[in-house]
């Protein structure tokens, strides 16, 4: 579980209500605190988030296990940017697609893969056409079978679902 958090105020007049310490997010008045497995700070990159959170899930999907990468948070907290990225900086979903095909190439001599992908984006608002009050679901289905004799029925078919979801 991770929480993306911007600790610094952008203007001098802005009051900061929340701070972080290691993997804890707390109100500065001490009234509330929340502990997480991992807190990513504003100075960390999408690449950091991807490598620590998504890569193990993608590796498991290649091995036949289902996986979900879920981004949830407040409007304008960076969910869409983290998941989709920009033309200059790839987000989690484009990185995952690239890495899945690279990993398939590496094991191509051991297994045959069939990949299905779908991307759904729902809803926009006047405030923000890319993310606010909308969600994106990217789903990739990986089917793999060990290579063997063409007429052989030996070996199992593995089917895994990798789902990336961005919710408001």
């Amino acid at each position: 579980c991770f929480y993306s958090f911007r600790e610094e105020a952008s203007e001098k007049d802005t009051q900061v209500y929340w701070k972080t310490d290691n993997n804890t997010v707390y109100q500065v008045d001490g009234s509330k605190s929340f502990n997480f497995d991992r807190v990513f700070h504003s100075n960390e990159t999408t690449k950091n988030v991807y490598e620590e959170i998504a890569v193990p899930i993608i590796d498991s999907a290649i091995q036949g296990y289902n996986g979900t990468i879920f981004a949830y948070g407040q409007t304008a907290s960076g969910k869409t940017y983290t998941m989709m990225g920009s033309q200059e900086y790839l987000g989690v979903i484009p990185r995952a697609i690239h890495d899945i095909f690279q990993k398939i190439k590496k094991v191509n001599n051991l297994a045959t893969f069939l990949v299905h992908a779908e991307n759904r984006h729902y809803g926009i608002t006047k405030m923000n056409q890319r993310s606010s009050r909308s969600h994106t679901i990217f789903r990739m289905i990986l089917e793999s079978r060990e290579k063997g004799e063409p007429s052989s029925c030996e070996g199992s078919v593995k089917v895994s679902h990798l789902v990336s979801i961005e919710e408001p």
Side-chain angles (χ1 to χ4, degrees):
C1 169
F2 74 96
Y3 183 88
S4 182
F5 181 78
R6 185 170 301 272
E7 188 172 299
E8 293 136 17
S10 59
E11 296 178 22
K12 292 180 183 178
D13 296 339
T14 304
Q15 189 171 357
V16 175
Y17 295 99
W18 294 89
K19 293 238 180 203
T20 62
D21 182 27
N22 295 322
N23 291 333
T24 301
V25 178
Y26 62 92
Q27 264 186 312
V28 293
D29 66 4
S31 62
K32 293 181 183 175
S33 68
F34 301 94
N35 295 311
F36 296 90
D37 296 332
R38 176 67 160 88
V39 174
F40 290 93
H41 298 277
S42 61
N43 62 342
E44 295 187 76
T45 65
T46 300
K47 183 179 178 187
N48 297 131
V49 174
Y50 176 76
E51 288 175 353
E52 192 165 328
I53 301 298
V55 168
I57 295 170
I58 291 165
D59 289 342
S60 292
I62 294 287
Q63 296 172 20
Y65 297 96
N66 294 332
T68 300
I69 302 166
F70 189 85
Y72 182 86
Q74 183 175 333
T75 298
S77 63
K79 298 173 305 295
T80 300
Y81 183 79
T82 299
M83 296 302 273
M84 301 304 291
S86 66
Q87 288 183 347
E88 294 175 12
Y89 302 102
L90 295 179
V92 170
I93 293 172
R95 287 174 189 274
I97 294 167
H98 177 267
D99 280 0
I100 285 169
F101 285 104
Q102 292 302 313
K103 290 171 190 284
I104 286 173
K105 282 182 187 178
K106 288 181 180 177
V107 297
N108 196 28
N109 60 333
L110 302 173
T112 302
F113 284 85
L114 178 60
V115 179
H116 309 270
E118 66 178 296
N119 190 23
R120 296 183 194 170
H121 182 79
Y122 298 94
I124 60 172
T125 68
K126 293 177 188 175
M127 186 175 166
N128 187 339
Q129 290 188 344
R130 285 198 68 208
S131 65
S132 183
R133 301 282 184 245
S134 67
H135 65 271
T136 300
I137 301 172
F138 177 80
R139 179 177 175 205
M140 185 174 270
I141 301 170
L142 305 172
E143 296 180 29
S144 64
R145 181 182 188 105
E146 292 178 16
K147 284 190 174 177
E149 295 296 319
S151 61
S152 173
C153 292
E154 293 179 24
S156 61
V157 175
K158 295 179 185 175
V159 179
S160 60
H161 295 245
L162 176 64
V163 181
S164 296
I165 303 170
E166 178 256 321
E167 288 273 340

